[in-house]
């Protein structure tokens, strides 16, 4: 660029000014900087100390300008510019106008010279800093950029675009008046396809400007995108890394003005797919474009469906999954395209409507792949089936469960290892997500898995990991159904824990014992000595990495024992377990620390005494973990740029010292982001969850720590990692609930003033998460936490008008699909006929709806009536929606009826119509909830429903007579008992009660137990002969219920009340139907209930 292109009116004047100021410093400063380049730590330390002294001198800025302009040493030039940037970032406002103008002109003058990239970038960073302060007062800068970009000299054009990109990111909003001319400049440069660097820098500049675009600029900017896509194609053939960086323009568009991108979706997706399937590109490049596809699915799912692009994606992804296994144990983190294709497919399953997506995937891709003669194709098909288990769970359960199991079990017998491993993965996924439906196949599947473990024990293979994954998923959800398998399971697992040839095999066996105990609970006790004798070896192990892995897993399994084997049994172990945790709490291993914290939380759930004396040290260490920067690495845009610690310890106003080192250094301009290792993220998330458990379990003992824990949790609500945000939300809610209980129960009135402060932060925070968080799972956690807080504190929350109004508005936004996590943020007019019917979306609506009955119960039915009218149209499903939506909506309606009690009477007719239609549905989930709805409607409205009894009895009796799933039967029993209890005079007790008794005890819906036994109690009080005559049947069943762990305390108290009367008035019935031991147990239960 010719120097004559610029009118530097102050330049000569500044040069004269500069000479006077830097005469004493200029020679020494270059020498000091040169000394920094010597590979001698002592010399560098000495030079740094000298530089810090110079840094305080008022002549430092012009002296650095002198070096930046005139030094013959390019590295000295670069360092001078870096130090100058740091100084200006902190001190610009202190400089007089002459120095400021001089610095600006020197920067432009230096940029006119032929500079290496390192010096150019360093000077560009100085320009960026100045622009933040004085862009509007620096017209020469835009003149410089315009002249450079329009120059025929390629190097000049590249320089102009580079500076344009740098300042666009910093002061893009101030450039808005120039957007039209900038867009014209972009178009010109993007047409220079023979200049790859120009194409690259143009895309970067556009990307940096995206965040400042408004709707007024969308059309003009959108017209540039085909040119930018062509630029990316050119760069792919020249420099893949730069092509990926240039493609980040589209990432930026998805984050900001994503509506701009809709017209280009088809061409963009085809570009991504072309790169994805081209094996000559590097894995990282292909994964980069696949990541964009995944993001497209989660944010543009409606448009992708509208444009019918889903099959096009599957045509590439499924064959790509048919690749040789790499590292199966770390496939979630794998950066190879074959593994990442599974991630994209998983996103599709989660975000697309399962009733439309799953038939397409299954018929057109899974079945042909599984039937292929090629093992890797069969593997791909089974992996695709496994991946669909979470996102398409409801559809698969309703329509395809047995077909899915046939495919996966068949895959276990495949002659090739890859399909066998994929089949094991299938079973694990099914066991995890298809609960409880899959348990009926346990007799067929569990023996196969036990056999597979024995076959694979001697191998360090992916099959062993997959087998254990499937086994754990099955076992931990089996409940008491696992008891029959315990002898064989425990024998095999203990054998593998002790004798597996690999550390990983031992880890898996120890973990599986935890899963078995989770299901078996105290049924594991006969095997506990055998298990603990081996487990103690690993709990007390010292040594290297392998020993630490086994100790970590052993402590994790010990936590399960603490929660599940029973308070009395664990009491003898609790003190020793606390000592074990304390002895290891100072470990540097984040996984071990995380498991120790979980162990403390587990112990606190059964025994407070061993924990309390050590609480100060335990909580202190956990807070240290949250505060720690371990595992964090700063990622720099240019890692070659040096960093100088030249803190002058004051801000521009001469005030307080900054706490942020990078802010002090002015180095954040070069920071790309902060990377945190996964193990440390998991530790922080789990630490917050463990703290929430300690707060809930320890109550008044935790009072000294509530405030500190609350403060730390609050810091992490906006954390980038979802697992940490989840932990923070749970912790905030649990602290509020636990503190409320502690204040209510203890003498802590001095601390009571903290509760309103906690709530004033927590309630708005949770509702803000509901509205603004992008992750639906996190929004679900926030809604559930809000619900639990209302249940615990009631009017302490809803009595505040501001909280109440905010909650109502937030729930409306969820039900109207207006929250951030629900918006596709795309052209609504383009996709207005495409609805979000994904199962993840349905789950979110369920969580929102579950808050409504809680509100109704808290404020009362009369006050809730206006909101009932508002919300009911929002959550009632439209015709043709999924069974899950229909079932959830009817369930919500039923719970609201129960909560509103008599206030629901004006709507009784409409509610009856909805419930009676649901009872006639062909899906048992819908039927079950509708039957419950009928029952609570009768209970709430009393005589209003008498005229409907014949119709209801006719329908309900059909299910008792013909049989159906047990949950529905249990709800039928509950509904009939409500009808009998409310209107016994018109209920045909003589005809119906014997049928009710025949189906007792309840098997699945234990929440209906209380109404059933309350009804029996009241009928016996009334002396109803039809009930008395059934005592021979009822008494042994009720005696068994007193010993049933699944029956809650209130129900057992009601049964004891029944027996109290029966033992007096109908003693002959008990003596004839109960054994002496049973009778003694009944009498003990009666005594403990009555206290007499």
């Amino acid at each position: 660029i010719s120097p004559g292109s610029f009118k530097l009116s102050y330049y000569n004047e500044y040069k004269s000014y500069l000479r006077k100021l830097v005469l004493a410093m200029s020679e020494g400063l270059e020498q000091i900087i040169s000394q920094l380049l010597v590979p001698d730590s002592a010399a560098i330390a000495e030079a740094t100390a000298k530089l810090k002294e110079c840094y305080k001198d008022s002549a430092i800025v012009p002296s650095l300008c002198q070096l930046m302009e005139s030094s013959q040493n390019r590295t000295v030039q670069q360092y001078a510019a870096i130090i100058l940037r740091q100084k200006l970032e902190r001190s610009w406002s202190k400089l007089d106008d002459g120095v400021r103008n001089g610095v600006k002109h020197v920067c432009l003058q230096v940029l006119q010279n032929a500079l290496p990239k390192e010096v150019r970038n360093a000077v560009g960073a100085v320009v960026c800093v100045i622009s933040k302060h004085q862009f509007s007062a620096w017209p020469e800068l835009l003149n410089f950029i315009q002249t450079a970009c329009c120059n025929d000299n390629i190097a000049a054009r590249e320089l102009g675009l580079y500076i344009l990109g740098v300042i666009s990111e910093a002061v893009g909003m101030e450039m808005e008046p120039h957007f039209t001319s900038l867009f014209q400049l972009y178009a010109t440069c993007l047409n220079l396809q023979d200049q790859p660097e120009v194409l690259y820098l143009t895309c970067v500049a556009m990307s940096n400007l995206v965040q400042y675009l408004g709707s007024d600029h969308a059309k003009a900017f959108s017209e540039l995108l085909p040119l930018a896509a062509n630029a990316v194609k050119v760069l792919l053939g020249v420099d893949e890394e730069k092509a990926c960086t240039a493609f980040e323009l589209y990432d930026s568009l998805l984050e900001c003005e994503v509506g701009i991108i809709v017209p280009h979706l088809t061409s963009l997706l085809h570009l991504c797919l072309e790169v994805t399937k081209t094996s000559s590109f590097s894995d990282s490049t292909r994964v980069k474009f696949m990541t964009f596809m995944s993001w497209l699915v989660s944010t543009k799912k409606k448009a992708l469906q509208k444009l019918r692009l889903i099959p096009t994606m599957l045509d590439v992804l499924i064959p790509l999954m048919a690749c040789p296994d790499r590292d199966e144990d770390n496939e979630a983190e794998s950066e190879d395209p074959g593994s990442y294709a599974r991630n994209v497919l998983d996103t599709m399953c989660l975000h697309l409507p399962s009733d439309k997506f799953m038939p397409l995937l299954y018929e057109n891709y899974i079945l042909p792949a599984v039937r292929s003669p090629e093992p890797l194709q069969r593997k791909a098909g089974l992996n695709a089936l496994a991946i669909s288990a979470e996102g398409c769970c409801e559809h698969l359960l309703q329509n395809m469960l047995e077909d899915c199991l046939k495919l996966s079990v068949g895959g276990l017998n495949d002659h090739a290892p890859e399909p066998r491993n994929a089949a094991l993965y299938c079973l694990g996924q099914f066991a995890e997500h298809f609960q409880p439906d899959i348990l009926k196949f346990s007799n067929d599947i569990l023996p196969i898995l036990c056999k597979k473990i024995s076959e694979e024990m001697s191998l360090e293979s992916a099959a062993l990991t997959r087998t254990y994954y499937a086994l754990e998923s099955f076992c931990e959800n089996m409940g008491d159904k696992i008891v029959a398998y315990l002898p064989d399971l425990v024998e095999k697992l203990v054998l593998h824990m002790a004798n597996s040839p690999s550390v990983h095999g031992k880890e898996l066996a120890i973990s599986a014992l935890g899963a078995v105990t989770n299901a078996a609970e105290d049924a594991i006790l006969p095997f506990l000595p055998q298990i603990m004798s081996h487990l103690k070896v690993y709990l007390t192990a010292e040594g290297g990495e392998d020993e630490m892995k086994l100790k970590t897993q052993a402590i994790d399994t010990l936590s399960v024992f603490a929660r599940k084997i029973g308070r009395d049994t664990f009491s003898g172990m609790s003190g020793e377990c606390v000592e074990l945790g304390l002895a290891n709490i100072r470990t540097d291993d984040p996984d071990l620390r995380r498991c120790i914290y979980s162990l403390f939380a587990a112990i606190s759930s059964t025994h407070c005494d061993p924990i309390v004396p050590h609480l100060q040290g335990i909580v202190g260490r956990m807070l240290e973990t949250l505060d720690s920067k371990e595992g964090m690495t700063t990622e720099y845009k240019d890692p070659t740029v040096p960093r100088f610690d030249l803190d002058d310890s004051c801000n521009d106003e001469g005030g307080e010292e900054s706490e942020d080192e990078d802010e002090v250094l002015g180095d954040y301009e070069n920071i790309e982001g902060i990377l945190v290792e996964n193990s440390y993220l998991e530790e922080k998330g789990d630490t917050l969850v463990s703290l929430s458990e300690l707060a809930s379990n320890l109550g008044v003992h935790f009072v000294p720590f509530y405030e500190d824990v609350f403060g730390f949790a609050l810091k992490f609500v906006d954390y980038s990692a979802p697992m940490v945000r989840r932990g923070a939300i749970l912790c905030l809610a649990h602290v509020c609930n636990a503190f409320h209980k502690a204040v209510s129960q203890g003498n802590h009135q001095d601390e009571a003033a903290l509760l309103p402060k906690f709530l004033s932060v927590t309630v708005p925070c949770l509702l803000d998460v509901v509205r603004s968080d992008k992750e639906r799972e996190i929004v679900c956690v926030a809604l559930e936490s809000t619900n639990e807080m209302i249940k615990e504190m009631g009017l302490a929350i809803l009595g505040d008008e501001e909280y109440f109004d905010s909650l109502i508005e937030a729930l409306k936004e969820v039900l109207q699909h207006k929250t951030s996590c629900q918006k596709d943020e795309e052209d609504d007019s383009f996709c207005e006929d495409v609805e979000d019917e994904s199962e993840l979306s349905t789950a979110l609506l369920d969580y929102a709806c579950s808050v409504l009955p809680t509100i109704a119960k808290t404020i009362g039915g009369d006050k809730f009536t206006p909101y009932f009218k508002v919300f009911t149209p929002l959550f009632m499903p439209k015709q043709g929606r999924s069974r899950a939506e229909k079932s959830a909506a009817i369930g919500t309606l039923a719970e609201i009826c129960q909560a509103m009690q008599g206030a629901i009477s004006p709507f009784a007719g409409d509610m009856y119509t909805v419930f009676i239609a649901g009872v006639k549905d062909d899906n048992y989930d819908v039927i079950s909830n509708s039957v419950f709805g009928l029952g609570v409607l009768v209970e709430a409205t009393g005589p209003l429903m008498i005229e409907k009894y014949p119709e209801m009895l006719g329908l309900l009796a059909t299910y008792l007579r013909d049989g159906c799933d047990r949950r529905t039967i249990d709800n039928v029993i509950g509904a009939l008992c409500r009808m009998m209890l409310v209107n016994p005079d018109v209920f045909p007790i003589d005809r119906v009660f014997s049928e009710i008794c025949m189906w007792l005890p309840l098997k699945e819906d234990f929440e209906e137990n209380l109404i059933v036994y309350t009804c029996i109690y009241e009928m016996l009080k009334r002396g109803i002969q039809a009930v008395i005559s059934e005592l021979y049947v009822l008494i042994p069943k009720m005696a068994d219920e007193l010993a049933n762990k699944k029956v809650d305390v209130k129900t057992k108290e009601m049964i004891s009340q029944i027996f109290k009367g029966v033992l007096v008035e109908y003693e002959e019935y008990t003596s004839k139907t109960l054994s002496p031991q049973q009778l003694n147990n009944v009498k003990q239960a009666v005594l403990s209930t009555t206290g007499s």
Side-chain angles (χ1 to χ4, degrees):
I1 306 172
S2 169
S5 301
F6 302 96
K7 298 177 180 179
L8 304 181
S9 56
Y10 292 96
Y11 188 66
N12 291 330
E13 178 186 342
Y14 177 69
K15 292 282 286 185
S16 173
Y17 174 71
L18 181 63
R19 280 195 295 272
K20 295 175 185 177
L21 281 175
V22 303
L23 188 61
M25 184 184 288
S26 57
E27 295 180 4
L29 193 57
E30 181 158 11
Q31 185 178 354
I32 291 170
I33 294 177
S34 298
Q35 191 176 345
L36 289 170
L37 308 178
V38 177
D40 182 329
S41 56
I44 293 172
E46 180 185 355
T48 302
K50 292 178 182 178
L51 188 57
K52 283 187 176 182
E53 288 302 312
C54 294
Y55 203 68
K56 302 172 184 176
D57 196 300
S58 61
I60 185 68
V61 171
S63 297
L64 289 170
C65 287
Q66 172 74 6
L67 288 179
M68 188 174 71
E69 178 188 24
S70 60
S71 176
Q72 299 303 303
N73 185 322
R74 294 303 194 192
T75 306
V76 170
Q77 274 189 300
Q78 179 194 8
Y79 278 35
I82 292 168
I83 297 167
L84 177 61
R85 172 179 61 80
Q86 294 180 197
K87 184 66 177 178
L88 295 180
E89 187 70 52
R90 297 302 307 272
S91 308
W92 180 262
S93 63
K94 299 176 183 178
L95 302 178
D96 61 44
D97 289 342
V99 175
R100 291 181 189 177
N101 288 327
V103 174
K104 289 191 284 188
H105 292 307
V106 167
C107 286
L108 297 185
Q109 189 67 34
V110 171
L111 286 172
Q112 293 180 76
N113 303 327
L115 299 174
K117 178 182 176 182
E118 293 77 11
V119 179
R120 180 200 72 179
N121 292 356
V123 177
V126 177
V127 170
C128 181
V129 169
I130 299 171
S131 298
K132 288 182 178 179
H133 292 281
Q134 284 201 322
F135 176 76
S136 59
W138 196 5
E140 293 89 354
L141 177 60
L142 279 180
N143 181 38
F144 174 90
I145 292 171
Q146 181 69 25
T147 304
C149 290
C150 296
N151 199 303
D152 290 336
N153 183 290
I154 295 178
R157 184 178 293 124
E158 291 171 359
L159 172 65
L161 286 166
Y162 173 77
I163 299 299
L164 177 59
V166 168
I167 66 167
S168 294
E169 186 173 22
V171 294
M173 189 59 70
E174 293 186 58
M175 298 174 69
E176 200 270 343
H178 309 282
F179 278 4
T180 300
S181 57
L182 280 178
F183 294 170
Q184 293 171 354
L185 175 63
Y186 294 153
T188 300
C189 293
L190 289 173
N191 278 306
L192 301 174
Q193 306 230 344
D194 58 340
Q195 298 177 27
E197 187 68 13
V198 169
L199 299 177
Y200 165 71
L201 291 168
T202 305
C203 288
V204 170
M206 290 172 66
S207 180
N208 290 341
L209 199 67
V210 163
Q211 61 183 308
Y212 304 107
L213 297 177
S215 56
D216 293 343
H217 317 113
K219 185 176 184 298
F221 198 87
S222 177
E223 292 171 355
L224 298 170
L225 296 187
L227 296 174
N230 288 333
V232 171
K233 293 176 185 177
V234 171
L235 289 168
L236 281 167
V238 178
D239 187 325
E240 288 184 32
E241 186 175 348
K242 286 187 175 179
C244 289
T245 304
F247 192 70
E248 288 175 5
L249 164 63
Y250 295 96
D251 292 341
S252 301
L253 286 166
L254 278 179
E255 286 188 71
C256 299
E257 291 291 329
V258 290
I260 295 174
I261 218 170
V262 172
H264 311 284
L265 271 184
T266 302
S267 58
L268 266 178
L269 187 64
H270 283 298
L271 171 60
C272 291
L273 292 171
E274 192 60 37
V275 173
T276 296
K277 66 184 182 182
T278 303
S279 58
S280 59
F281 290 133
S282 69
D283 283 356
S284 60
T285 296
R286 296 166 73 190
V287 168
K288 168 71 178 177
F289 282 78
M290 293 171 74
T291 303
F292 181 79
M293 282 198 296
S294 184
W295 205 354
L296 269 183
V297 171
S298 61
T299 60
K300 314 296 297 174
K301 51 186 173 290
K302 292 183 183 179
L304 290 173
Q305 293 174 73
K306 177 84 172 181
L307 296 167
R308 300 182 180 179
L309 293 171
I310 302 303
T312 308
M313 294 179 68
L314 293 174
D315 288 342
V316 173
L317 292 172
I318 302 300
L320 197 60
M321 289 166 59
C323 61
D325 292 336
R326 294 197 183 184
D327 186 359
E328 290 283 345
D329 291 338
N330 294 292
E331 63 184 51
E333 298 177 12
S334 180
E335 284 299 304
D336 70 278
S339 294
Y340 202 83
R342 295 195 278 273
N343 291 1
V344 181
L345 181 61
D346 184 44
T347 304
M348 296 174 79
C349 292
L350 286 169
H351 290 275
L352 297 172
S354 58
D355 60 330
K356 297 181 178 66
F357 177 68
M358 196 60 219
L360 169 71
L361 178 64
Y362 187 79
E363 296 292 338
N364 293 11
Y365 299 93
I366 290 175
L367 283 182
V370 170
R371 293 166 179 168
S372 169
E374 296 296 325
L376 292 180
Q377 291 286 343
R378 298 197 296 276
K379 168 203 160 185
L382 288 167
N383 272 334
L385 181 60
I387 289 164
S388 68
E390 180 182 7
C392 301
C393 172
E394 286 296 327
H395 180 82
L396 292 173
L397 280 177
Q398 188 175 4
N399 302 286
M400 307 167 62
L401 177 56
E402 293 195 20
D403 291 337
C404 292
L405 285 173
K406 285 179 184 177
L407 287 182
S408 56
V409 173
L412 294 176
N413 299 316
D414 200 294
H415 66 273
E418 293 90 352
R420 289 201 304 271
N421 292 348
L424 287 166
Y425 182 38
C426 264
L427 286 179
Q429 287 283 94
F430 296 165
E432 182 175 354
H433 299 293
F434 290 177
Q435 295 293 335
D437 304 62
I438 199 169
L439 292 181
K440 60 187 176 185
F441 301 98
S442 299
N443 290 337
D444 300 319
I445 295 172
L446 210 53
I448 296 174
L449 296 177
C450 290
K451 181 182 176 184
K452 291 290 291 183
I453 287 176
S454 298
E455 292 173 355
E456 301 287 347
M457 189 181 84
S458 61
L459 304 174
E460 180 68 26
S461 67
L464 184 65
T465 304
R466 290 285 177 81
T467 304
Y468 270 108
Y469 167 59
L471 181 69
E472 280 199 43
S473 298
F474 259 98
C475 289
E476 67 183 355
N477 293 294
M478 286 182 69
D480 54 14
K481 293 179 181 178
I482 201 173
V483 173
Y485 302 96
L486 283 179
D488 186 46
L489 266 175
V490 173
E491 180 184 358
K492 281 186 169 60
L493 293 175
V494 169
L495 177 67
H496 295 177
M497 175 173 63
N499 300 324
S500 179
S502 70
V503 171
H504 186 53
K506 291 177 179 177
E507 274 187 286
L508 293 169
I510 296 170
S511 178
L513 281 167
V516 170
T517 303
N518 192 65
E521 298 187 354
D522 57 5
I524 200 73
L525 292 181
F527 311 95
L528 194 60
Q530 179 188 7
I531 296 170
M532 288 303 301
S533 66
H534 292 280
L535 201 63
K536 283 180 179 178
V537 175
Y538 303 120
L539 290 170
T540 57
E542 299 293 340
E545 183 180 348
D546 289 348
E547 287 75 14
M548 286 301 99
K549 285 181 178 180
L550 293 171
K551 176 181 282 191
T552 298
Q553 188 57 65
I555 289 177
D556 192 51
T557 295
L558 189 62
S559 298
V560 180
F561 292 161
R563 298 178 192 276
K564 295 295 181 178
I565 64 175
R567 177 186 174 86
D568 294 338
T569 305
F570 189 73
S571 61
M573 304 166 57
S574 58
E576 190 178 352
C577 290
V578 171
E579 293 301 324
L580 172 70
L582 292 171
N584 291 277
I585 200 171
R586 288 288 161 187
T587 179
D588 293 329
D589 186 324
D591 292 323
L592 181 53
R593 284 197 302 256
R594 173 173 57 84
C595 290
I596 289 169
Y597 301 155
S598 179
L599 175 62
F600 290 140
I603 295 170
S604 75
S605 68
T606 55
H607 296 82
C608 295
D609 293 344
I611 293 280
V612 172
H614 307 286
L615 206 50
Q616 184 75 45
I618 290 170
V619 175
R621 181 58 172 150
M622 295 171 81
L623 296 182
E624 285 177 23
T625 293
L626 294 178
D627 204 34
S628 172
K629 301 297 188 291
E630 288 180 279
M632 294 185 180
T633 306
T634 304
E635 187 179 42
Y636 294 96
K637 296 174 184 176
D638 185 351
T640 64
V641 173
R643 304 171 69 231
F644 301 109
D645 186 2
L646 303 172
D647 179 17
D648 55 7
S649 297
C650 63
N651 59 22
D652 289 347
E653 285 71 35
E656 297 179 0
E657 182 175 345
S658 171
E659 296 179 359
D660 187 335
E661 179 186 351
D662 284 318
E663 181 182 334
V664 169
L665 301 181
D667 201 51
Y668 61 80
E669 290 290 345
N670 189 37
I671 293 177
E672 184 74 31
I674 306 294
L675 301 178
V676 187
E677 294 177 34
N678 278 345
S679 58
Y680 291 95
L681 287 177
E682 290 171 5
E683 182 192 22
K684 280 184 165 53
D686 287 354
T687 299
L688 286 161
V689 172
S690 294
L691 280 168
S692 69
E693 281 194 70
L694 287 171
S696 297
N697 297 333
L698 298 178
V700 293
H701 300 296
F702 207 78
V703 167
F705 310 102
Y706 280 118
E707 189 170 10
D708 287 342
V709 171
F710 184 88
F712 271 89
L714 190 61
K715 293 179 182 178
F716 290 98
V717 171
D718 294 325
Y719 204 81
S720 57
M723 69 181 79
V724 179
R725 294 207 302 282
R726 174 184 177 276
I729 291 167
L730 289 172
C731 195
L732 286 178
H734 278 75
V735 163
C736 289
N737 285 341
F739 189 69
H740 177 262
K741 285 181 182 177
V743 169
S744 302
Q745 297 169 3
N747 299 315
H748 298 282
Q749 296 309 307
D750 292 341
E751 293 87 356
L754 283 175
L755 183 60
K757 294 180 181 179
F758 286 172
L759 294 180
S760 70
V761 173
T762 304
V763 175
C765 178
L766 293 182
L767 297 181
D768 182 63
V769 169
V770 170
R771 289 190 175 99
S772 61
D773 202 291
K774 297 287 187 182
E775 298 288 336
R776 296 190 184 195
E777 294 88 343
I778 301 301
V779 175
C780 290
V781 172
L783 286 166
E784 185 176 29
S785 298
T786 302
N787 200 10
E788 291 303 315
M789 287 177 64
I790 298 171
K791 288 177 181 178
E792 170 61 33
M793 286 175 274
L795 293 175
I797 294 175
L798 298 185
D800 185 298
E801 187 176 344
E802 184 178 350
Y803 296 164
F804 183 82
D805 291 344
S806 296
L807 174 61
I808 293 296
E809 288 306 311
L811 293 175
K812 282 183 187 176
E813 287 182 33
V814 176
L815 296 176
Q816 292 171 342
H817 298 263
K818 290 183 178 180
T819 65
S820 292
C821 72
Q822 293 169 295
K823 293 178 182 176
D824 274 2
E825 298 182 14
E826 56 201 15
D827 185 346
D828 291 334
S829 62
F830 178 72
C831 300
E832 62 186 359
D833 58 339
V834 182
E835 295 193 28
D836 182 1
E837 300 173 351
S838 67
E839 293 183 7
L840 193 59
S841 173
T842 302
L844 176 60
L845 298 178
D846 288 351
Y847 278 102
C849 287
S850 68
V851 183
L852 297 175
T854 308
I855 296 174
K857 185 175 182 180
T858 303
I859 68 174
D862 290 333
K863 290 183 179 179
F864 187 75
T865 297
Y867 303 101
F868 178 77
K869 295 176 182 177
V870 170
F871 280 107
T872 304
L874 297 181
F875 67 75
M876 288 305 292
K878 299 175 185 176
Q879 188 69 26
R881 300 303 288 266
S882 70
R883 72 160 186 178
E885 284 183 278
K886 191 186 299 185
S887 172
I890 291 175
T892 299
L893 205 58
E895 290 177 7
I896 291 175
C897 287
Q898 189 175 38
M900 289 180 68
Q901 299 180 348
I904 197 68
S905 296
F907 311 99
D910 292 336
M911 297 302 97
Y912 181 79
T913 301
V914 172
F915 294 140
I916 209 71
V919 172
K920 298 174 182 178
D921 199 271
D922 59 359
N923 178 265
Y924 282 136
D925 287 339
V926 176
I927 296 169
S928 179
N929 284 350
S930 301
V931 169
F932 173 71
L934 283 177
V936 295
L937 184 64
V938 168
E939 187 177 28
T941 58
L944 283 180
M945 301 301 298
I946 288 177
E947 64 181 35
K948 302 293 186 182
Y949 269 37
E951 183 181 14
M952 286 190 283
L953 286 168
L955 285 169
L956 298 181
T958 301
Y959 290 112
L960 292 185
R961 184 176 62 251
D962 299 341
C964 56
D965 79 305
R966 266 311 307 221
R967 186 172 188 82
T968 301
I969 290 291
D970 290 353
N971 275 290
V972 168
I973 299 298
L976 290 171
C977 286
R978 285 185 172 90
M979 294 169 69
M980 189 189 320
L981 194 59
V982 172
N983 296 299
D985 295 334
V986 298
F987 188 87
I989 300 175
D990 295 350
R991 181 161 51 88
V992 177
F993 192 77
S994 59
E995 291 188 61
I996 292 175
C997 292
M998 198 174 68
W999 286 101
L1000 292 179
L1002 305 185
K1003 298 294 186 182
E1004 290 192 18
D1005 197 341
F1006 296 104
E1007 291 183 12
E1008 292 296 273
N1009 264 325
L1010 185 58
I1011 194 66
V1012 170
Y1013 292 107
T1014 299
C1015 176
I1016 293 172
Y1017 175 76
E1018 293 295 334
M1019 295 305 107
L1020 286 171
K1021 276 179 63 178
R1022 291 171 65 98
I1024 304 296
Q1025 188 58 43
V1027 177
I1028 296 170
S1029 63
E1030 293 294 329
L1031 282 175
Y1032 284 113
V1033 177
L1034 283 173
I1035 286 173
K1037 291 186 178 185
M1038 290 191 297
D1040 289 341
E1041 290 292 82
L1042 287 174
N1044 188 345
K1045 293 182 295 183
K1046 295 180 179 179
V1047 176
D1048 62 40
V1049 174
K1050 287 186 176 181
T1051 300
K1052 288 182 178 180
E1053 289 175 352
M1054 179 53 65
I1055 293 173
S1056 297
Q1057 287 293 334
I1058 295 172
F1059 271 121
K1060 182 181 178 182
V1062 168
L1063 287 171
V1064 174
E1065 298 183 37
Y1066 309 104
E1067 194 270 339
E1068 72 277 9
Y1069 287 89
T1070 56
S1071 61
K1072 292 180 181 179
T1073 56
L1074 296 179
S1075 68
Q1077 181 61 52
Q1078 285 178 310
L1079 185 58
N1080 183 60
N1081 292 341
V1082 166
K1083 289 179 178 179
Q1084 289 297 319
V1086 171
L1087 285 173
S1088 64
T1089 301
T1090 61
S1092 59

